[in-house]
Amino acid sequence: MGDEASVSVTYNPKTADVVTTGKDVLLRSGHLNQNGRKTRRDNPNIIYGVEERPPWVTVALMGLQHFSLSFSGCFAFPLIVAGPLCFNLDRELVNQLLGTSFFIAGVTTFLQAGFGTRLPIVQGSSAAFLIPAIVVSNLKGPCPPPITTNSTEDERQYVREVAFERMQELQGSICVASLVQFLLGFTGLVGLLLRFIRPITVATTLFLIGLPIITMASDACGTHWGISSLFMFVVILCSQFLDKYQIPLPRGNRLALFTFFPVNKQYTIFFQILIAVVVSWTLCLILTAVGAFPDDPTEYGYKARTDLYNDVIQESTWIRFPYPGQFGIPRVSFAAFLGMVTAVLASMIESVGDYYACALISELPPPPTHAVNRGVAMEGLGCLLGGLWGAPCGYTSYSNNVSAISLTKVASRVTVYFAAGVFVIAGIFYKFNAFCASMPEPVLGGIMGSTFGMVASIGFANLAFIKVNTSRNLFILGFALFLGMGVPDYLVKNPGAINTGVLILDQVLSVILGSNMFLGGLTACILDNLVRGTPEEKGLNWRKEMSGLTDDEAKEGAEDKTSYYDLPFGMKWIRRTYWTRYLPCSPTFTGFRKLHGVL
């Protein structure tokens, strides 16, 4: 008899229950979806699989959690770039920057989960774009004096012209660089590129992304170390010492309305940032009300006041829709383009690792080649939208949201759709953006101090896939870090060191040699491919090890891999159309002869 009529009866000795299985029964119980494919609800490691729809309460809670995990990056990164862009001279511009960042994060998250890898991954502002954006903005020289209540309309207009000019060049460079990422994914060349990028390159690049920004974090914390220390204390307390305490999570099960899971795990430090923000911001509010902070802007602790931007919050509108070209028409310069290309490549490498990690945690087979290609292409499209709309950073996959799936055991992509909707609403709700922009600076410093160190440490986590304690790898890693940290530091201390007599060449060299991650990552990549080494030293099988599956398990999962990574519509037409198998982004793509088996 066929599967539709087959039924088996088994006895569970632990519960003394008789369990009846079969397609009809499993469909009614929710263990099979409407396509007749097994769900993950019967897997103890996952409560709701990628294609399942949890109850709306669970969807809302998990979606809000995804939003809270990504909030710090989408909030802090634009505020950091706002300084070199001169946007911080006018708080109204900062509000627009935050609103655009949130809005595009929601759009790119929906594109990735819906049409990219189809994995429950959240997109957010990428730290890889920070250093190139700062270097490119600094080429324009110092910013004019900030706008005050006594500033004239001409002074305000001049500040906006300077800020818009810098933003337009940054937008144009992000747009063109994002096209490179889109083409790498759409044409399948990402597989060829990843052949030359291995763990030691990834580790060096990610470490150099996070390390230079720590100086900015210390400057912000220095406005009031007491408030910043309280923030970091709360983060450490919640993330490292309260992981044994449990809180209830609603489930759609009649016999168990609630399930308990730990408050936090080691890799979900970002979730506790909202708690730390509430505690430290509340203390700043109380101390401001009792007059504990000085009124003089030159005195220590002044920037911890919570009433510095009350007028900005009151005067801002409730609703504002971000739109393309709101800061002017993007312009492209070659030097800025090179800087953004380095950021795109670094962001792409990090995201591919997140794809494999998300599939492993979600109890799915490793993403096939076409899904990786499509994911990279969608990230490129998201960066393009960010450049057109005026987001100061490109977008990438957030690994902390992937870790949250292992915590909650809810891998449904519907929760990610909900998080995308919250991001879009946050970007449109202009009062919310103004309120976020009024955050006291030491609180912002606490966010930066708690997150940027994690970026660097995540980079070194990739070294677990290679044999580190060899003279080859120790030399490559040490020399790449030396160049990545030493050369940019020398250029900062000696502004006129690059002077070839050709302006455009000076700008190109300043961007390339001033980018820590590009110089260090490129050095590590070249040496790793030129210097002889064993497969264990080079980590040639690191993607297979990252997937956590054996060869037999990977082969077994490959049989139905297209079912989980199919597009949401048009699959019948794609399968019966012959030429779609030659498109690297098509679910029927089998791989080019030379690139087959790369990913």
Side-chain angles (χ1 to χ4, degrees), residues 4-16:
E4 297 180 359
S6 62
V7 176
S8 62
V9 179
T10 59
Y11 175 74
N12 190 336
K14 294 183 179 181
T15 60

mmCIF file with all atom_site columns, all heavy atoms in Angstrom, residues 4-16:
data_model
loop_
_atom_site.group_PDB
_atom_site.id
_atom_site.type_symbol
_atom_site.label_atom_id
_atom_site.label_alt_id
_atom_site.label_comp_id
_atom_site.label_asym_id
_atom_site.label_entity_id
_atom_site.label_seq_id
_atom_site.pdbx_PDB_ins_code
_atom_site.Cartn_x
_atom_site.Cartn_y
_atom_site.Cartn_z
_atom_site.occupancy
_atom_site.B_iso_or_equiv
_atom_site.pdbx_formal_charge
_atom_site.auth_seq_id
_atom_site.auth_comp_id
_atom_site.auth_asym_id
_atom_site.auth_atom_id
_atom_site.pdbx_PDB_model_num
ATOM 1  N N   . GLU A 1 4  ? 0.006  6.982  1.874  1.00 0.00 ? 4  GLU A N   1
ATOM 2  C CA  . GLU A 1 4  ? -1.210 7.614  2.381  1.00 0.00 ? 4  GLU A CA  1
ATOM 3  C C   . GLU A 1 4  ? -2.006 6.650  3.242  1.00 0.00 ? 4  GLU A C   1
ATOM 4  O O   . GLU A 1 4  ? -2.713 7.068  4.156  1.00 0.00 ? 4  GLU A O   1
ATOM 5  C CB  . GLU A 1 4  ? -2.057 8.112  1.206  1.00 0.00 ? 4  GLU A CB  1
ATOM 6  C CG  . GLU A 1 4  ? -1.338 9.200  0.387  1.00 0.00 ? 4  GLU A CG  1
ATOM 7  C CD  . GLU A 1 4  ? -2.207 9.663  -0.745 1.00 0.00 ? 4  GLU A CD  1
ATOM 8  O OE1 . GLU A 1 4  ? -3.325 9.124  -0.889 1.00 0.00 ? 4  GLU A OE1 1
ATOM 9  O OE2 . GLU A 1 4  ? -1.789 10.557 -1.498 1.00 0.00 ? 4  GLU A OE2 1
ATOM 10 N N   . ALA A 1 5  ? -1.892 5.360  2.987  1.00 0.00 ? 5  ALA A N   1
ATOM 11 C CA  . ALA A 1 5  ? -2.694 4.401  3.744  1.00 0.00 ? 5  ALA A CA  1
ATOM 12 C C   . ALA A 1 5  ? -1.883 3.679  4.807  1.00 0.00 ? 5  ALA A C   1
ATOM 13 O O   . ALA A 1 5  ? -2.436 2.918  5.580  1.00 0.00 ? 5  ALA A O   1
ATOM 14 C CB  . ALA A 1 5  ? -3.317 3.396  2.789  1.00 0.00 ? 5  ALA A CB  1
ATOM 15 N N   . SER A 1 6  ? -0.544 3.859  4.792  1.00 0.00 ? 6  SER A N   1
ATOM 16 C CA  . SER A 1 6  ? 0.302  3.127  5.736  1.00 0.00 ? 6  SER A CA  1
ATOM 17 C C   . SER A 1 6  ? 0.199  3.731  7.119  1.00 0.00 ? 6  SER A C   1
ATOM 18 O O   . SER A 1 6  ? 0.285  4.928  7.297  1.00 0.00 ? 6  SER A O   1
ATOM 19 C CB  . SER A 1 6  ? 1.756  3.158  5.262  1.00 0.00 ? 6  SER A CB  1
ATOM 20 O OG  . SER A 1 6  ? 2.229  4.482  5.212  1.00 0.00 ? 6  SER A OG  1
ATOM 21 N N   . VAL A 1 7  ? -0.016 2.857  8.110  1.00 0.00 ? 7  VAL A N   1
ATOM 22 C CA  . VAL A 1 7  ? -0.113 3.273  9.502  1.00 0.00 ? 7  VAL A CA  1
ATOM 23 C C   . VAL A 1 7  ? 0.644  2.262  10.336 1.00 0.00 ? 7  VAL A C   1
ATOM 24 O O   . VAL A 1 7  ? 0.531  1.056  10.118 1.00 0.00 ? 7  VAL A O   1
ATOM 25 C CB  . VAL A 1 7  ? -1.584 3.352  9.978  1.00 0.00 ? 7  VAL A CB  1
ATOM 26 C CG1 . VAL A 1 7  ? -1.634 3.684  11.465 1.00 0.00 ? 7  VAL A CG1 1
ATOM 27 C CG2 . VAL A 1 7  ? -2.349 4.380  9.187  1.00 0.00 ? 7  VAL A CG2 1
ATOM 28 N N   . SER A 1 8  ? 1.429  2.749  11.282 1.00 0.00 ? 8  SER A N   1
ATOM 29 C CA  . SER A 1 8  ? 2.163  1.854  12.181 1.00 0.00 ? 8  SER A CA  1
ATOM 30 C C   . SER A 1 8  ? 1.840  2.218  13.617 1.00 0.00 ? 8  SER A C   1
ATOM 31 O O   . SER A 1 8  ? 1.569  3.368  13.932 1.00 0.00 ? 8  SER A O   1
ATOM 32 C CB  . SER A 1 8  ? 3.672  1.978  11.932 1.00 0.00 ? 8  SER A CB  1
ATOM 33 O OG  . SER A 1 8  ? 4.115  3.295  12.201 1.00 0.00 ? 8  SER A OG  1
ATOM 34 N N   . VAL A 1 9  ? 1.846  1.200  14.478 1.00 0.00 ? 9  VAL A N   1
ATOM 35 C CA  . VAL A 1 9  ? 1.536  1.386  15.887 1.00 0.00 ? 9  VAL A CA  1
ATOM 36 C C   . VAL A 1 9  ? 2.749  0.967  16.699 1.00 0.00 ? 9  VAL A C   1
ATOM 37 O O   . VAL A 1 9  ? 3.270  -0.138 16.517 1.00 0.00 ? 9  VAL A O   1
ATOM 38 C CB  . VAL A 1 9  ? 0.300  0.562  16.305 1.00 0.00 ? 9  VAL A CB  1
ATOM 39 C CG1 . VAL A 1 9  ? 0.007  0.764  17.786 1.00 0.00 ? 9  VAL A CG1 1
ATOM 40 C CG2 . VAL A 1 9  ? -0.900 0.955  15.467 1.00 0.00 ? 9  VAL A CG2 1
ATOM 41 N N   . THR A 1 10 ? 3.221  1.857  17.565 1.00 0.00 ? 10 THR A N   1
ATOM 42 C CA  . THR A 1 10 ? 4.382  1.575  18.406 1.00 0.00 ? 10 THR A CA  1
ATOM 43 C C   . THR A 1 10 ? 4.039  1.872  19.848 1.00 0.00 ? 10 THR A C   1
ATOM 44 O O   . THR A 1 10 ? 3.092  2.607  20.152 1.00 0.00 ? 10 THR A O   1
ATOM 45 C CB  . THR A 1 10 ? 5.590  2.432  17.977 1.00 0.00 ? 10 THR A CB  1
ATOM 46 O OG1 . THR A 1 10 ? 5.225  3.811  18.086 1.00 0.00 ? 10 THR A OG1 1
ATOM 47 C CG2 . THR A 1 10 ? 6.005  2.128  16.546 1.00 0.00 ? 10 THR A CG2 1
ATOM 48 N N   . TYR A 1 11 ? 4.831  1.283  20.749 1.00 0.00 ? 11 TYR A N   1
ATOM 49 C CA  . TYR A 1 11 ? 4.607  1.456  22.183 1.00 0.00 ? 11 TYR A CA  1
ATOM 50 C C   . TYR A 1 11 ? 5.788  2.195  22.778 1.00 0.00 ? 11 TYR A C   1
ATOM 51 O O   . TYR A 1 11 ? 6.956  1.841  22.552 1.00 0.00 ? 11 TYR A O   1
ATOM 52 C CB  . TYR A 1 11 ? 4.455  0.095  22.868 1.00 0.00 ? 11 TYR A CB  1
ATOM 53 C CG  . TYR A 1 11 ? 4.332  0.178  24.380 1.00 0.00 ? 11 TYR A CG  1
ATOM 54 C CD1 . TYR A 1 11 ? 3.161  0.630  24.977 1.00 0.00 ? 11 TYR A CD1 1
ATOM 55 C CD2 . TYR A 1 11 ? 5.402  -0.193 25.192 1.00 0.00 ? 11 TYR A CD2 1
ATOM 56 C CE1 . TYR A 1 11 ? 3.054  0.711  26.355 1.00 0.00 ? 11 TYR A CE1 1
ATOM 57 C CE2 . TYR A 1 11 ? 5.293  -0.121 26.570 1.00 0.00 ? 11 TYR A CE2 1
ATOM 58 C CZ  . TYR A 1 11 ? 4.116  0.328  27.146 1.00 0.00 ? 11 TYR A CZ  1
ATOM 59 O OH  . TYR A 1 11 ? 4.018  0.404  28.510 1.00 0.00 ? 11 TYR A OH  1
ATOM 60 N N   . ASN A 1 12 ? 5.514  3.269  23.516 1.00 0.00 ? 12 ASN A N   1
ATOM 61 C CA  . ASN A 1 12 ? 6.538  4.065  24.180 1.00 0.00 ? 12 ASN A CA  1
ATOM 62 C C   . ASN A 1 12 ? 6.634  3.608  25.624 1.00 0.00 ? 12 ASN A C   1
ATOM 63 O O   . ASN A 1 12 ? 5.748  3.881  26.424 1.00 0.00 ? 12 ASN A O   1
ATOM 64 C CB  . ASN A 1 12 ? 6.180  5.553  24.116 1.00 0.00 ? 12 ASN A CB  1
ATOM 65 C CG  . ASN A 1 12 ? 7.330  6.430  24.575 1.00 0.00 ? 12 ASN A CG  1
ATOM 66 O OD1 . ASN A 1 12 ? 8.202  5.984  25.337 1.00 0.00 ? 12 ASN A OD1 1
ATOM 67 N ND2 . ASN A 1 12 ? 7.330  7.683  24.113 1.00 0.00 ? 12 ASN A ND2 1
ATOM 68 N N   . PRO A 1 13 ? 7.701  2.911  26.034 1.00 0.00 ? 13 PRO A N   1
ATOM 69 C CA  . PRO A 1 13 ? 7.791  2.389  27.401 1.00 0.00 ? 13 PRO A CA  1
ATOM 70 C C   . PRO A 1 13 ? 7.964  3.474  28.451 1.00 0.00 ? 13 PRO A C   1
ATOM 71 O O   . PRO A 1 13 ? 7.657  3.269  29.617 1.00 0.00 ? 13 PRO A O   1
ATOM 72 C CB  . PRO A 1 13 ? 9.031  1.482  27.336 1.00 0.00 ? 13 PRO A CB  1
ATOM 73 C CG  . PRO A 1 13 ? 9.840  2.021  26.203 1.00 0.00 ? 13 PRO A CG  1
ATOM 74 C CD  . PRO A 1 13 ? 8.861  2.542  25.204 1.00 0.00 ? 13 PRO A CD  1
ATOM 75 N N   . LYS A 1 14 ? 8.473  4.656  28.050 1.00 0.00 ? 14 LYS A N   1
ATOM 76 C CA  . LYS A 1 14 ? 8.686  5.714  29.034 1.00 0.00 ? 14 LYS A CA  1
ATOM 77 C C   . LYS A 1 14 ? 7.380  6.360  29.474 1.00 0.00 ? 14 LYS A C   1
ATOM 78 O O   . LYS A 1 14 ? 7.199  6.714  30.631 1.00 0.00 ? 14 LYS A O   1
ATOM 79 C CB  . LYS A 1 14 ? 9.611  6.778  28.442 1.00 0.00 ? 14 LYS A CB  1
ATOM 80 C CG  . LYS A 1 14 ? 11.020 6.271  28.185 1.00 0.00 ? 14 LYS A CG  1
ATOM 81 C CD  . LYS A 1 14 ? 11.903 7.388  27.659 1.00 0.00 ? 14 LYS A CD  1
ATOM 82 C CE  . LYS A 1 14 ? 13.318 6.887  27.423 1.00 0.00 ? 14 LYS A CE  1
ATOM 83 N NZ  . LYS A 1 14 ? 14.202 7.960  26.930 1.00 0.00 ? 14 LYS A NZ  1
ATOM 84 N N   . THR A 1 15 ? 6.465  6.509  28.531 1.00 0.00 ? 15 THR A N   1
ATOM 85 C CA  . THR A 1 15 ? 5.191  7.172  28.848 1.00 0.00 ? 15 THR A CA  1
ATOM 86 C C   . THR A 1 15 ? 4.025  6.214  28.890 1.00 0.00 ? 15 THR A C   1
ATOM 87 O O   . THR A 1 15 ? 2.904  6.620  29.218 1.00 0.00 ? 15 THR A O   1
ATOM 88 C CB  . THR A 1 15 ? 4.891  8.268  27.808 1.00 0.00 ? 15 THR A CB  1
ATOM 89 O OG1 . THR A 1 15 ? 4.815  7.662  26.522 1.00 0.00 ? 15 THR A OG1 1
ATOM 90 C CG2 . THR A 1 15 ? 6.007  9.315  27.780 1.00 0.00 ? 15 THR A CG2 1
ATOM 91 N N   . ALA A 1 16 ? 4.255  4.960  28.544 1.00 0.00 ? 16 ALA A N   1
ATOM 92 C CA  . ALA A 1 16 ? 3.194  3.935  28.509 1.00 0.00 ? 16 ALA A CA  1
ATOM 93 C C   . ALA A 1 16 ? 2.072  4.337  27.561 1.00 0.00 ? 16 ALA A C   1
ATOM 94 O O   . ALA A 1 16 ? 0.913  4.061  27.796 1.00 0.00 ? 16 ALA A O   1
ATOM 95 C CB  . ALA A 1 16 ? 2.634  3.683  29.908 1.00 0.00 ? 16 ALA A CB  1
#
